[in-house]
């Protein structure tokens, strides 16, 4: 992702120098060579005393109900995901909640991370509620709403039966007693966050009023529990994973217009992480990635809710440093959920072990990207989002069954493993339920002047202001898209068309067959006019083949065609079926597979297969190598290979 990293680095350095009172220039060298130092005094002192001052976004997403998927890979993924959701017995999801509340249940217990003896039990019900709400908002599927409403009703019954100050979970409060005493326990606040987020989504997206009341009960219990502990005790508590408790409480404050929940959310501020990020210091080595992306999402929500720029600067630099120095070609990051090395040591990190990019991390980084885009629309943000969507996210759902995996391995000779119908319920299975019900969330955006076209996805946009657009495309199989205006609104407005940073030097835009403007890669082409029914905009984006090498391992690289990561295909051989679906999130040890070294001129040797879009072959030392998108690689594959 070298081009994306360079674009981000230049823009963000300029932005930081313009807004930060903490930067101090040393010496008289050129700006590129200057050494910058920063005031490192603590900036997150006493928190919790603030008011609601919501930030006006520079760009706003359209509601999920305004954007509809048309035939294509994303719609296939959405349908497979919903079909799986409808195969889940909600009484089995509720089983441990009822038992914990002393209520009868004769449902068959679920397995995996939802089994009755697992401390994380109950988390998947939260994901499921969010997915029901998102799916209903996206498609109007009343069966999903019915399922979500039924779960909310039963959770309310469990909450009343517990009669514990609003407490609700599938496990007893004893887990929180252990947490407070400093003993290890598997993330009870993480699980509460998932349930609370699901309830808020059911309220906001599916109109379930009871969900907000159940959520307020849980928030009240959280307030009571955390208020009973001083800051030192809370810092020990939040040294264990707590999901996005800060995020959900800030979002609750915005919905209820009650600043009380900001103060409660602030108790989950992990200052040991936020302070260095504010001062633009990358101290992420050794940290659990998804645990901290969730906390940064909370920082972004804190800024959105209060306008406190300290939290925006934390979120900004976190995104910058992860994308610039910790992101693989596929868009993912980390190794076995952790950052195990310093920034820009990706090659070393990718060569360790067999379990690399966790799917939850990609999901949450995409959410953070969407929040940053609302603050300041930028093509580089969408380029990164697109990399994740096309390669990592679409690459981890089985379009036939809707089953999803946990890690996307970069080990040469690896294969994709998937969860099962009712014996896994990993966190990544849960975020996948959500992801594939909100695939349209970043396709378009709007501001007071017009519409941004961000992603090239077959969709129909029907805005509340009366504008209707239809996007016709088979991208990325073909490197073009067409926008058809089905209805204007009799006023001039601006259509901003994303020209990706990965585009070759000759993109073309036509309006009704005539050239329009000068599209520059890495920018939006703004076209202002009184758009009318029947207007057609064609965008042609010739894609180039690049070999992206690791900075610290230039002898290892990955092939990328436009935004699509290509993987060398390797025969699966006599792979036991049990290794394709697994009870644990980690894949089996990858046995050695010979991976042919790529010549430095591999991009010039590749030849497209006419009958298979985005499939290429190359003759290397007498061997015919086959390359396909990582999203379509369902046998053994190699994303990275030695470069001769």
């Amino acid at each position: 992702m070298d081009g994306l990293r360079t674009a981000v680095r230049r823009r963000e350095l300029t932005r930081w120098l313009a807004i930060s009172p903490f930067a101090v220039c040393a010496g008289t060298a050129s700006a590129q060579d200057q050494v910058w130092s920063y005031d490192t005094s603590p900036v997150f002192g006493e928190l919790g005393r603030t008011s609601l001052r919501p930030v006006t976004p520079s760009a706003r997403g359209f509601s999920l109900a305004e954007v509809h998927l048309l035939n294509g890979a994303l719609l296939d993924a959405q349908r497979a995901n919903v079909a799986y959701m409808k195969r889940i017995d909600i009484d089995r999801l509720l089983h441990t909640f009822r038992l914990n509340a002393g209520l009868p249940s004769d449902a068959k217990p679920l397995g995996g991370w939802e089994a009755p003896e697992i401390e994380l039990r109950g988390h998947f019900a939260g994901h499921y509620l969010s997915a029901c709400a998102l799916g209903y908002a996206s498609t109007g599927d009343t069966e999903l709403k019915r399922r979500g409403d039924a779960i909310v009703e039963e959770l309310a019954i469990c909450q009343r039966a517990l009669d514990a100050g609003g407490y609700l979970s599938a496990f007893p409060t004893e887990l929180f007693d252990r947490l407070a005493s400093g003993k290890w326990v598997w993330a009870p606040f993480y699980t509460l966050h998932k349930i609370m987020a699901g309830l808020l989504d059911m309220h906001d997206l599916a109109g379930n009023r009871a969900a907000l009341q159940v959520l307020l009960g849980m928030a009240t219990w959280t307030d009571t529990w955390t208020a009973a502990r001083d800051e030192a005790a809370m810092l020990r508590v939040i040294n264990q994973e707590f999901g996005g408790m800060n995020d959900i409480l800030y979002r609750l404050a915005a919905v209820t217009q009650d600043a009380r929940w900001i103060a409660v959310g602030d108790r989950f501020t992990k200052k040991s992480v936020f302070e260095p990020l504010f001062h633009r210091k990358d101290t992420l080595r050794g940290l659990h990635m998804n645990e901290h992306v969730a906390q940064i999402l909370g920082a972004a929500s804190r800024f959105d809710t209060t306008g406190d720029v300290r939290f925006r600067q934390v979120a900004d630099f976190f995104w910058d440093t992860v994308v610039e120095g910790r992101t693989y070609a596929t868009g993912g990051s980390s190794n076995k959920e952790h950052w195990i090395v310093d920034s820009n040591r990706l090659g070393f990190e990718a060569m360790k072990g067999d379990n690399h990019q966790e799917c939850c991390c990609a999901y949450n980084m995409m959410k953070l990207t969407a929040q940053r885009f609302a603050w300041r629309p930028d093509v580089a943000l969408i380029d990164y989002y697109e990399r994740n969507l096309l390669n990592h996210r679409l690459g981890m759902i089985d379009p036939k069954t809707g089953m999803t995996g946990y890690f996307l391995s970069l080990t040469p000779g690896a294969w994709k493993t998937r969860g099962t119908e009712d014996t896994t319920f990993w966190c990544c299975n849960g975020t996948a339920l959500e992801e594939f019900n909100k695939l349209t969330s970043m396709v378009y955006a709007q501001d007071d002047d017009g519409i941004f076209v961000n992603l090239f996805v077959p969709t129909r946009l029907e805005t509340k202001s009366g504008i209707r657009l239809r996007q016709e495309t088979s991208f990325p199989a073909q490197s073009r898209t067409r926008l058809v205006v089905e209805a204007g609104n009799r006023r001039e407005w601006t259509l901003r068309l994303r020209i990706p940073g990965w585009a070759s030097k000759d993109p073309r835009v036509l309006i009704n067959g005539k050239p329009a403007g000068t599209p520059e890669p890495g920018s939006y082409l703004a076209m202002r006019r009184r758009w009318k029914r029947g207007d057609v905009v064609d965008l042609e984006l010739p894609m180039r083949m690049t070999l992206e090498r690791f900075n610290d391992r230039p002898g290892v690289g990955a092939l990328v065609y436009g935004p699509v990561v290509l993987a060398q295909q390797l025969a699966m051989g006599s792979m036991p079926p049990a290794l394709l679906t697994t009870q644990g999130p980690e894949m089996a040890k990858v046995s050695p597979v010979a991976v042919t070294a790529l010549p430095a001129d591999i991009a010039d040797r590749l030849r497209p297969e006419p009958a298979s879009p985005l499939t290429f072959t190359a003759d290397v030392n007498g061997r015919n190598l086959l390359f396909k998108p990582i999203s379509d690689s369902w046998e053994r594959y190699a994303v990275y290979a030695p470069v001769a």
Side-chain angles (χ1 to χ4, degrees):
M1 303 181 72
D2 296 340
L4 173 58
R5 293 189 185 109
T6 300
V8 170
R9 188 176 297 112
R10 288 174 179 166
R11 274 192 283 268
E12 292 307 311
L13 178 60
T14 301
R15 181 195 63 78
W16 173 258
L17 297 180
I19 69 171
S20 176
F22 301 97
V24 179
C25 176
T28 58
S30 67
Q32 188 173 2
D33 299 324
Q34 284 171 348
V35 176
W36 297 90
S37 61
Y38 304 97
D39 180 357
T40 57
S41 58
V43 295
F44 292 95
E46 185 177 357
L47 296 173
R49 295 180 180 178
T50 189
S51 58
L52 289 159
R53 292 188 296 273
V55 171
T56 301
S58 297
R60 307 177 302 279
F62 288 96
S63 71
L64 293 173
E66 293 176 277
V67 190
H68 308 277
L69 285 174
L70 303 177
N71 287 335
L74 270 68
L75 182 59
D76 291 343
Q78 182 189 69
R79 286 173 171 168
N81 183 58
V82 169
Y84 168 57
M85 288 180 65
K86 292 180 178 179
R87 295 196 298 271
I88 295 176
D89 183 344
I90 62 173
D91 280 318
R92 298 183 70 186
L93 278 178
L94 290 163
H95 176 67
T96 50
F97 285 92
R98 288 168 171 155
L99 294 183
N100 189 54
L103 300 173
S105 174
D106 57 3
K108 180 182 178 182
L110 296 170
W113 289 9
E114 282 296 321
E117 69 277 7
I118 299 298
E119 292 181 343
L120 212 66
R121 61 188 181 274
H123 79 109
F124 201 82
H127 288 297
Y128 193 88
L129 281 176
S130 289
C132 285
L134 291 162
Y136 173 68
S138 294
T139 67
D141 191 325
T142 55
E143 170 63 11
L144 293 180
K145 176 171 168 55
R146 184 197 67 79
R147 285 170 166 260
D149 287 342
I151 292 173
V152 171
E153 182 178 357
E154 292 301 314
L155 290 179
I157 292 172
C158 291
Q159 189 179 52
R160 289 194 295 270
L162 283 165
D163 191 23
Y167 180 76
L168 171 66
S169 188
F171 48 73
T173 56
E174 180 267 334
L175 269 68
F176 289 95
D177 296 337
R178 287 168 48 199
L179 181 66
S181 69
K183 297 178 180 178
W184 187 88
V185 57
W186 196 5
F189 271 121
Y190 170 95
T191 301
L192 252 61
H193 163 241
K194 301 307 175 190
I195 300 166
M196 294 169 75
L199 290 165
L200 188 58
D201 287 338
M202 281 299 299
H203 171 266
D204 290 351
L205 301 174
N208 189 308
R209 295 183 179 180
L212 182 60
Q213 298 309 308
V214 178
L215 170 56
L216 285 169
M218 297 180 70
T220 299
W221 180 88
T222 301
D223 185 6
T224 302
W225 194 92
T226 56
R229 287 155 181 84
D230 62 18
E231 183 177 14
M234 277 303 298
L235 289 176
R236 290 192 296 272
V237 165
I238 63 177
N239 271 334
Q240 296 194 40
E241 187 173 7
F242 58 86
M245 283 299 296
N246 53 350
D247 183 42
I248 188 61
L249 289 160
Y250 299 144
R251 289 174 57 200
L252 180 61
V255 168
T256 61
Q257 289 297 289
D258 187 347
R260 169 190 181 183
W261 306 118
I262 297 174
V264 183
D266 282 349
R267 294 172 195 156
F268 291 90
T269 301
K270 198 168 183 179
K271 298 178 182 179
S272 61
V273 173
F274 281 29
E275 287 284 356
L277 290 172
F278 175 85
H279 292 293
R280 299 185 67 78
K281 289 187 174 182
D282 182 340
T283 56
L284 301 181
R285 179 176 181 173
L287 296 183
H288 180 259
M289 180 175 178
N290 195 51
E291 173 181 347
H292 290 87
V293 183
Q295 296 171 27
I296 302 303
L297 284 169
S301 292
R302 178 63 152 74
F303 170 71
D304 286 338
T305 307
T306 67
D308 190 329
V309 295
R310 294 175 298 172
F311 291 88
R312 174 175 173 175
Q313 289 177 198
V314 165
D316 277 342
F317 180 68
F318 177 87
W319 191 95
D320 294 343
T321 196
V322 170
V323 172
E324 287 185 30
R326 297 184 177 277
T327 297
Y328 305 117
T330 53
S333 180
S334 79
N335 182 305
K336 200 175 180 181
E337 305 185 22
H338 290 74
W339 289 298
I340 63 173
V341 294
D342 292 325
S343 182
N344 289 313
R345 296 290 308 282
L346 280 171
F348 181 86
E349 192 166 64
M351 295 176 187
K352 299 283 286 186
D354 299 317
N355 300 282
H356 300 101
Q357 311 155 87
E358 182 189 358
C359 292
C360 282
C361 300
Y363 170 77
N364 280 324
M365 281 297 294
M366 290 167 72
K367 289 176 69 175
L368 180 60
T369 303
Q371 286 182 277
R372 289 198 75 195
F373 183 87
W375 302 338
R376 189 173 60 89
D378 192 323
V379 166
L381 295 169
I382 304 302
D383 286 354
Y384 168 78
Y385 190 101
E386 180 182 61
R387 277 283 182 108
N388 270 294
L389 178 64
L390 294 182
N391 299 295
H392 194 144
R393 305 309 290 130
L394 281 179
M396 290 302 289
I397 183 169
D398 185 334
K400 296 178 181 178
T401 66
M403 296 293 97
T404 53
Y406 194 104
F407 288 113
L408 179 59
S409 179
L410 294 174
T411 302
W415 60 93
K416 297 174 186 174
T417 57
R418 299 177 284 282
T420 63
E421 292 272 335
D422 62 357
T423 59
T424 51
F425 297 106
W426 309 319
C427 53
C428 294
N429 299 147
T431 50
L433 287 192
E434 300 176 29
E435 181 83 77
F436 295 106
N437 273 313
K438 66 178 192 70
L439 291 168
T440 61
S441 61
M442 285 298 289
V443 177
Y444 307 99
Q446 60 183 321
D447 62 10
D448 293 338
D449 191 46
I451 295 173
F452 296 85
V453 179
N454 289 328
L455 298 172
F456 312 126
V457 176
T459 42
R460 176 175 279 109
L461 171 66
E462 300 178 0
T463 75
K464 295 173 183 176
S465 65
I467 297 171
R468 295 203 304 272
L469 295 177
R470 184 177 75 254
Q471 187 172 179
E472 301 171 350
T473 185
S474 58
F475 181 85
Q478 294 182 320
S479 55
R480 60 179 179 267
T481 193
R482 166 172 285 185
L483 293 158
V484 180
V485 179
E486 295 185 330
N489 62 357
R490 299 183 181 181
R491 297 193 301 270
E492 283 192 354
W493 53 274
T494 302
L495 181 69
R496 294 185 181 85
L497 192 57
R498 170 176 159 252
I499 312 299
W502 50 256
S504 73
K505 62 181 179 180
D506 297 315
R508 286 209 314 158
V509 176
L510 307 174
I511 299 179
N512 299 328
K514 298 179 180 179
T518 304
E520 292 291 336
S523 68
Y524 283 97
L525 179 63
M527 299 170 287
R528 185 172 181 82
R529 58 187 283 162
R530 184 173 295 173
W531 298 92
K532 63 183 185 300
R533 181 179 179 181
D535 283 341
V536 176
V537 179
D538 288 297
L539 171 62
E540 299 174 4
L541 289 168
M543 296 196 289
R544 64 181 185 271
M545 191 76 70
T546 58
L547 183 60
E548 293 191 0
R549 305 177 188 234
F550 289 124
N551 288 336
D552 62 320
R553 293 287 192 279
V556 180
L559 278 171
V560 184
Y561 185 55
V564 178
V565 175
L566 300 176
Q568 189 178 152
Q569 302 298 294
L570 308 169
M572 188 71 81
S574 57
M575 183 72 67
L579 294 181
L580 301 180
T581 58
T582 176
Q583 301 305 308
E586 297 180 12
M587 68 182 303
K589 178 66 178 176
V590 177
S591 55
V593 172
V595 178
T596 302
L598 305 178
D601 64 347
I602 182 65
D604 298 325
R605 297 195 192 191
L606 291 167
R607 298 292 178 264
E609 288 288 298
S612 302
L614 300 176
T615 301
F616 299 84
T617 57
D619 182 270
V620 177
N621 297 330
R623 296 188 62 183
N624 188 47
L625 305 185
L626 176 65
F627 296 87
K628 291 169 56 177
I630 183 62
S631 60
D632 295 332
S633 299
W634 291 102
E635 291 205 352
R636 287 191 173 199
Y637 61 84
V639 169
Y640 286 100
V643 180

